Amino acid sequence: MCGIVGYIGKRDAYPILIEGLSALEYRGYDSAGIALVHGKGFSIFKDKGKVDHLKEITKKISAGGCGTGIAHTRWATHGAPSQMNAHPHLDQSSKIAVVHNGIIENFSLLKQKMIKDGVKFCSETDSEVLAQLIGKYYNGDLASAVRRALQDIEGTFGIAVVAADNPGVLIGARRGSPLVVGVGEDELFLASDASAIVRHTKKVIYLKDNNMIELMQGTFNTTTIDNKKVNPEIQNIDWDADSLAKGGFNHFMLKEIFEQPETIQNAIRGRLLVDEGAARLDGLNLVLQELRSIQRLIFVACGTSWHAALVGKYMIEDMAGIPVEVEYASEFRYRNPIIGPNTLVFVISQSGETADTLAALREAAHKGATVLGICNVVGSSIARETHGGVYLHAGPEIGVASTKAFTSQLTVLSLLTLLLGRMRRISHSDGVTVARALEAIPKQVQKILKQNNHIEEIAKTYAKHNNFLYLGRSYNFPVALEGALKLKEISYVHAEGYPAAEMKHGPIALIDKDMPSVVLAIKDSIYDKVISNIQEVNARGGSVIAIANEGDKEIEKYVKHVVYIPKTIPMLSPLLSVIPLQLLAYHIAAIRGCEIDQPRNLAKSVTVE
Ligand code: M6R
């Protein structure tokens, strides 16, 4: 969480930093701040609230003359959102300014010690400890002072540090929180992710864990934190700044929902072998023999990525006959999991930076497992630390509510199912059936998106309701979970996802005229059972919004509203059935006037435990 930007170069730092913060605001928006170095001190502006507010309070500053600066947008962990707790933080003599992402676990101990030594603190944050420590060790050599201070720190950090008396240097360092360095013509950038700097340069260095970088005018020096020389690889970003604009949509979330025909296609491209009824995923870095010898899979993820993993389990067990366990990363990392031989671990993460998922990856690797990733963000920590994996190629996902990443994850999991299944249970002709069905998905999604207005009308009917039940069975049970999560995170409406048949074991007690149920009634082998569940809701005076297959006129007898989706094979139905649920959540949140792209208390990338 939290977004960091830094700049050193010949241009004015202020507009570059502010614009960078706006691009990073999805990472946290409790407060924002900026420090400009003008040689004889800092100009510091910070306050509670969003980047637009920071822009407002700084619009009168004269930007000219400061070519070095750092900035921050915060997702609060230690200390409430306030001006005092906003970054940058200074040491007591205002020689050093620091912006920090992560958590300093031993901050309380360090703070007490320093208070005893007479150091005056002015915030409740863990981050201020770092500023005070660097200040204590600073004697004109900023890199050495940062290095020395980081030896005292336990926990995670991505930092940018400047010294008041030296506009010629900007230090970045990371452990557990991402940092990317942008390499421009005679200018250098530092940011939590590339979206903050892609307008200025496409050449980037993804700083490795426990590495530090000293940025000077036009040149840089990379080392480990304990000062061993590192030769960083400069890479090219393969997307451009246009992907960061809303493109005529009111919100990034809506834009990303509408991008899905294209993003699903991007995940398929070059990987689906239709005539062979198979798939290739070269990035897994596994030879045929290794793939054939797999006896068990473990999927580890959080949130929406966990829901995708659950669909993946249903696909792979059903079609490839390999047992799959799906684990919450936060549980897996601490519960001493058993990882036997011939077990592959997959970590699934849009951002590739989720702290729990990253820790689970390390735990699995420590136990000797081969760990593979399904990630969207190229060069992210998870992408770099796994033994191999598959990128989603969905482009940057800005909306805090994950939408296009979910369907791309499902697409990659379908490809994995085909790859593993063809070596086991799936015949050539069944493989071709799956491949053709997958090939058809982007157009089918397009067709569902055309019903946006119809879904908005349904949203109008239910926008004032405060409780929802989402029900699905088989492949569509995880979709029910995902639909409920989408609604609660962006509209703050209570919603629960349940396997439809479990409803009668408890949640049915909640059903009355004020609690609508969204039911995934897809024509598959258990369709009739779902109809029985709908009848159970009706009998208690509840109203039902059904997601059903085109041509299913029968369902209209039992439900208040229907959204029709095209037919596909059961394993791919979640790729279609989730789309109306994303749109329903979006419209309910919009009608309720919620901040859709930046819902309260949330952040896009959860880099703290
Ligand atoms: O980046 P990741 O996929 O690892 O993120 C995991 C969750 O934090 C994320 O899916 C979260 O649940 C989203 N806000 C859901 O929309």
Side-chain angles (χ1 to χ4, degrees):
M1 349 277 280
C2 300
I4 289 176
V5 206
Y7 175 77
I8 183 163
K10 295 203 163 67
R11 289 193 280 162
D12 287 332
Y14 171 77
I16 295 168
L17 294 173
I18 286 283
E19 177 197 78
L21 279 190
S22 297
L24 290 182
E25 205 169 23
Y26 70 89
R27 300 179 65 88
Y29 30 83
D30 292 328
S31 64
I34 190 165
L36 301 166
V37 192
H38 47 72
K40 291 190 182 113
F42 297 120
S43 297
I44 302 250
F45 305 91
K46 58 181 191 174
D47 206 357
K48 182 179 167 180
K50 298 192 172 184
V51 176
D52 274 347
H53 173 64
L54 182 70
K55 273 187 205 161
E56 198 53 37
I57 62 174
T58 52
K59 72 178 175 210
K60 289 202 191 88
I61 72 165
S62 130
C66 283
T68 305
I70 56 177
H72 188 265
T73 176
R74 177 170 186 246
W75 186 80
T77 57
H78 296 62
S82 68
Q83 207 245 0
M84 156 185 101
N85 290 330
H87 297 222
H89 288 289
L90 301 182
D91 69 315
Q92 63 176 356
S93 54
S94 302
K95 287 181 295 192
I96 299 296
V98 174
V99 291
H100 168 229
N101 173 22
I103 288 185
I104 297 169
E105 279 159 10
N106 58 341
F107 92 100
S108 176
L109 212 72
L110 292 168
K111 187 169 176 175
Q112 279 161 27
K113 242 164 100 187
M114 284 192 269
I115 288 173
K116 269 195 193 140
D117 294 342
V119 177
K120 295 216 167 16
F121 281 79
C122 53
S123 81
E124 301 156 324
T125 65
D126 53 339
S127 314
E128 190 186 352
V129 165
L130 195 49
Q132 300 287 8
L133 277 175
I134 299 170
K136 176 172 141 191
Y137 296 126
Y138 184 63
N139 60 6
D141 178 354
L142 187 59
S144 303
V146 172
R147 194 167 275 128
R148 177 65 194 85
L150 292 179
Q151 282 170 15
D152 296 349
I153 294 291
E154 283 164 23
T156 53
F157 53 83
I159 51 169
V161 189
V162 283
D165 61 357
N166 188 358
V169 64
L170 162 60
I171 306 284
R174 66 158 287 183
R175 179 183 296 151
S177 296
L179 264 192
V180 55
V181 178
V183 183
E185 293 285 324
D186 292 329
E187 57 184 358
L188 295 159
F189 307 80
L190 199 60
S192 298
D193 79 48
S195 60
I197 54 182
V198 66
R199 282 179 184 80
H200 307 289
T201 179
K202 289 196 161 192
K203 284 190 189 154
V204 294
I205 297 165
Y206 296 103
L207 206 64
K208 290 196 173 137
D209 241 12
N210 290 310
N211 278 7
M212 196 171 126
I213 192 154
E214 191 176 3
L215 306 179
M216 292 152 288
Q217 291 287 347
T219 166
F220 58 87
N221 179 33
T222 317
T223 59
T224 58
I225 288 171
D226 50 13
N227 207 11
K228 295 197 180 81
K229 183 81 193 140
V230 169
N231 286 322
E233 185 193 350
I234 300 184
Q235 300 184 31
N236 270 312
I237 300 171
D238 61 1
W239 45 272
D240 54 35
D242 288 349
S243 349
L244 300 173
K246 284 189 199 146
F249 289 91
N250 284 341
H251 297 94
F252 281 111
M253 181 181 176
L254 194 60
K255 176 190 172 220
E256 287 157 7
I257 292 173
F258 273 81
E259 276 172 3
Q260 290 176 109
E262 194 188 330
T263 50
I264 293 170
Q265 189 62 56
N266 288 348
I268 293 173
R269 190 167 295 117
R271 295 167 170 169
L272 184 65
L273 311 171
V274 180
D275 293 340
E276 292 163 47
R280 57 184 299 172
L281 295 170
D282 298 344
L284 295 180
N285 298 331
L286 295 177
V287 295
L288 209 63
Q289 222 166 4
E290 289 170 305
L291 288 168
R292 280 187 56 83
S293 65
I294 300 165
Q295 286 176 1
R296 182 171 159 242
L297 290 172
I298 304 178
F299 289 160
V300 187
C302 302
T304 287
S305 298
W306 190 91
H307 297 154
L310 197 57
V311 178
K313 171 187 167 78
Y314 282 55
M315 288 175 178
I316 290 174
E317 290 192 344
D318 187 12
M319 308 293 287
I322 304 171
V324 183
E325 285 157 42
V326 179
E327 296 261 9
Y328 287 110
S330 53
E331 290 296 312
F332 182 88
R333 64 181 289 192
Y334 287 121
R335 70 167 187 82
N336 198 16
I338 300 162
I339 303 168
N342 300 326
T343 299
L344 263 191
V345 176
F346 273 89
V347 287
I348 307 181
S349 172
Q350 185 285 130
S351 62
E353 299 294 348
T354 301
D356 283 323
T357 312
L358 188 56
L361 179 177
R362 289 176 182 154
E363 176 61 17
H366 185 78
K367 288 201 148 82
T370 299
V371 189
L372 302 168
I374 298 178
C375 270
N376 192 33
V377 178
V378 176
S380 59
S381 302
I382 290 176
R384 281 186 287 113
E385 289 194 30
T386 37
H387 298 111
V390 192
Y391 277 123
L392 302 181
H393 299 311
E397 191 181 62
I398 310 289
V400 165
S402 186
T403 52
K404 63 176 180 173
F406 178 71
T407 46
S408 295
Q409 287 164 340
L410 297 187
T411 306
V412 166
L413 287 162
S414 330
L415 293 166
L416 185 66
T417 304
L418 256 186
L419 176 73
L420 297 173
R422 281 289 281 123
M423 293 171 190
R424 294 171 173 83
R425 291 204 200 175
I426 306 179
S427 66
H428 173 255
S429 69
D430 287 347
V432 171
T433 305
V434 173
R436 290 212 175 116
L438 185 55
E439 207 183 19
I441 292 285
K443 282 217 171 93
Q444 293 180 318
V445 171
Q446 197 106 54
K447 205 169 167 198
I448 300 169
L449 291 171
K450 291 201 174 120
Q451 297 182 71
N452 185 31
N453 292 343
H454 170 51
I455 297 168
E456 188 176 5
E457 287 308 310
I458 298 175
K460 282 180 190 160
T461 311
Y462 293 98
K464 296 233 163 69
H465 287 67
N466 290 320
N467 294 291
F468 281 76
L469 206 54
Y470 282 71
L471 302 171
R473 298 180 75 140
S474 178
Y475 282 109
N476 283 287
F477 157 52
V479 179
L481 297 179
E482 176 58 9
L485 178 66
K486 287 290 87 80
L487 184 66
K488 68 186 128 188
E489 67 180 335
I490 58 167
S491 68
Y492 320 138
V493 167
H494 167 239
E496 284 189 60
Y498 253 88
E502 272 294 304
M503 178 188 59
K504 56 184 167 296
H505 298 286
I508 198 165
L510 298 169
I511 290 176
D512 61 13
K513 65 175 180 24
D514 296 323
M515 184 155 187
S517 298
V518 180
V519 183
L520 296 140
I522 306 305
K523 277 267 184 190
D524 56 14
S525 59
I526 48 169
Y527 172 78
D528 292 342
K529 312 250 176 227
V530 177
I531 295 296
S532 304
N533 300 136
I534 291 176
Q535 305 273 38
E536 289 158 11
V537 173
N538 287 335
R540 271 100 198 153
S543 39
V544 174
I545 304 157
I547 311 303
N549 283 125
E550 286 169 353
D552 181 5
K553 289 287 163 207
E554 178 78 5
I555 195 140
E556 293 176 15
K557 286 193 213 150
Y558 309 115
V559 303
K560 287 246 164 65
H561 304 273
V562 193
V563 180
Y564 284 112
I565 60 171
K567 281 196 190 121
T568 182
I569 56 170
M571 91 171 223
L572 299 181
S573 62
L575 275 155
L576 303 180
S577 60
V578 76
I579 310 288
L581 305 194
Q582 295 169 344
L583 286 168
L584 184 67
Y586 172 82
H587 288 300
I588 290 179
I591 295 164
R592 291 173 76 103
C594 299
E595 291 234 34
I596 291 177
D597 286 331
Q598 296 172 343
R600 71 180 181 209
N601 305 339
L602 292 176
K604 182 70 184 161
S605 170
V606 186
T607 56
V608 294
E609 272 195 59

